[in-house]
Amino acid sequence: MTGHGHVPRTAETERLRRALDIHGLVNLTGPPGAGKSALAGELGWKHVDLEHLDLKQLGPEHLAPDLGAPDLGDVDLGGPQGAGGAGPDPAACADDGVAVDGVVVDGVDGPGRAAALSALLGRARPWRLLLISRRPLPAQDGWTGHGVHTVRLPPLPDEDVDRLAGAAGIGDPGARALVVRLAGGVPALAHAACRALHAGATAADPGAVADRMADELTDRLARERPGARTLHALRLLATVGAGDEHLLSAGPGLITRLGRLSVVRGTALGLTVAEPFRTVLETAYHWRRPLAHHTVRSRAAAYRHTLLQRSEEPSGRAELVRQGLFLTGDPALRSALFPPAESSVTVGAATPDDTDAICVLMRRWAERGGFDRVRADRITERWLAHGPSAFRLARDGDGRAIGLASLLPVGDGTSGGVDQLLQQHAEQFVTGRRTGGLFLGAAYAPDPVAHSRVLGDILERSVHAGRLVVSTATDDYQRLVRVLGFQVLGAVRDDVFRCGRPPEVSSNVFTPAALGPWLDRLGPAAAAHAQAADERLVPEVARALARLGDPAGPVDSALLAYLPTPTPAALRRWLRDAAHDLATGDDAADAEAGAVLCAYYLGRSPVTHHQVAGRLHLGRATYFRRHRRGLLALAARLRAGA
């Protein structure tokens, strides 16, 4: 992953120069291939790469400019005293009148390098020093107290990546869009994608493009010395989103090694791969091993489902819901909630000082939706009347408000802020049996990553509140709530925003009992979730069938919870009827499976599997396949009916 085709980043270079002027000792950090070395090259300083040095021979001379073997004893290498120190005068460190600016030390990542450099700087620190690493040095052993100032290199804007692809000879707009999407602002990934396209992959084959990118990423990670098992675990981790020891079937040693990789982060649910590397690795794995990819994701979904059922804290449930949505694999949900890019955007409650920013963002929201500005301003005033905390603001790394959502608690006290957008549907939420929860009337963020943060925050708040009611007149949000499986109640009577589209009202329950079934219904992976749920019921179905002749059984069966009348007698009737229905159905395999169940479980006298197989003229293997098919069919009918 080389730096050919470097995109000049003037603003970032100036930001780096200012940090070096102020602090003297600066750590430039960013993911592999982000362009750190290329940016440092803009300084024109002496460049030292620790990757090519023997750490045992590392000495102060490596951190001093090449001035013909200067006598370090005559030069003050104390440097800045902590953060904010000015350091010695560069002119005092000159030879023949040539001023010295500073030194760039690259390749600080890798076993032992950060520690060796820390020990060296404990004895001697030159004037201005720029240290390049993938992870911030203060997060590594031995760097507490050095006063190093961290500068994080942000991803390239999409338009710059698009220009980079164009300069690399990628003329097809679809191919360039794929480069932009997979690169996630990382220049080296963009170059790798371009090479894959030139090698014959097309925009219609994102897996083939991502495979080349994943190979080059693996080469890049060689500096961190991951073994083959660690690299395989890395792509499994990318597939499941967030993973712990159980989900990855990994011991503590492997989890520790994974956690030390620069592209891996820790979260509430375990480790996760940072974007866009996660998307690249998963896309490549899906392309190489589609069946294994499906199996890994389905297993993860079942595990998250189990944890969700046992979770007692709303914050824990919110995290599990987010992972459950990720594991559906639905392209619309992935695009809206999980874009392949990192971001420093945060979301929190607005304060009284944010009123002006709220008004500005709400006007932009109205312009984007084609809404009448006067009408939109009146709605904003109504919501602000309940206090600025009715809004959640998305902020960038500098604290600027760049997106928002209006979230009002539903109840009598806020009816003035929700009635106009709910109209005929208001009563059932404000005073009816569905009282409570949150009302979402607006959500806006022009940046896709910031928008995903806003949506994620809305879902988290909804899990805490137990219900979300949405009123929206925009097509994209109406499509999104449908993809999310919300109950669509229909449009209100009036064209509230004078845009030619009355708002449409939808709602969804986010209570603990409703979360599991809701996630099971979502996305292309819903069938996998449903099958996993049916598989869990198969042993219970077999146990209940075996006890049909017992007048007292099956009194303790877990299947009772799936019946409208949860009594043993009702369950016995249901099982008999379901087996007979299956045996008389139109599908030949299902009918054969039903016949097996009837002959083995519903006969007047006990029989063995061998006897039933002979009576039905079925081979042993076929018989047991039909037996399991019948049990699975009854489990599916029971769960679907519930």
Side-chain angles (χ1 to χ4, degrees), residues 323-341:
Q323 279 298 298
L325 292 172
F326 170 83
L327 289 167
T328 66
D330 186 281
L333 292 182
R334 285 284 181 96
S335 175
L337 293 169
F338 308 99

Side-chain angles (χ1 to χ4, degrees), residues 536-594:
R536 291 194 293 269
L537 291 180
V538 162
E540 287 293 332
V541 172
R543 180 169 172 264
L545 283 170
R547 299 178 65 188
L548 283 179
D550 181 359
V555 68
D556 59 345
S557 174
L559 305 182
L560 293 172
Y562 291 83
L563 294 177
T565 305
T567 65
L571 179 56
R572 289 196 297 269
R573 285 194 301 270
W574 188 93
L575 289 170
R576 290 180 183 274
D577 291 344
H580 284 301
D581 287 345
L582 191 65
T584 57
D586 294 330
D587 185 277
D590 279 349
E592 214 167 49

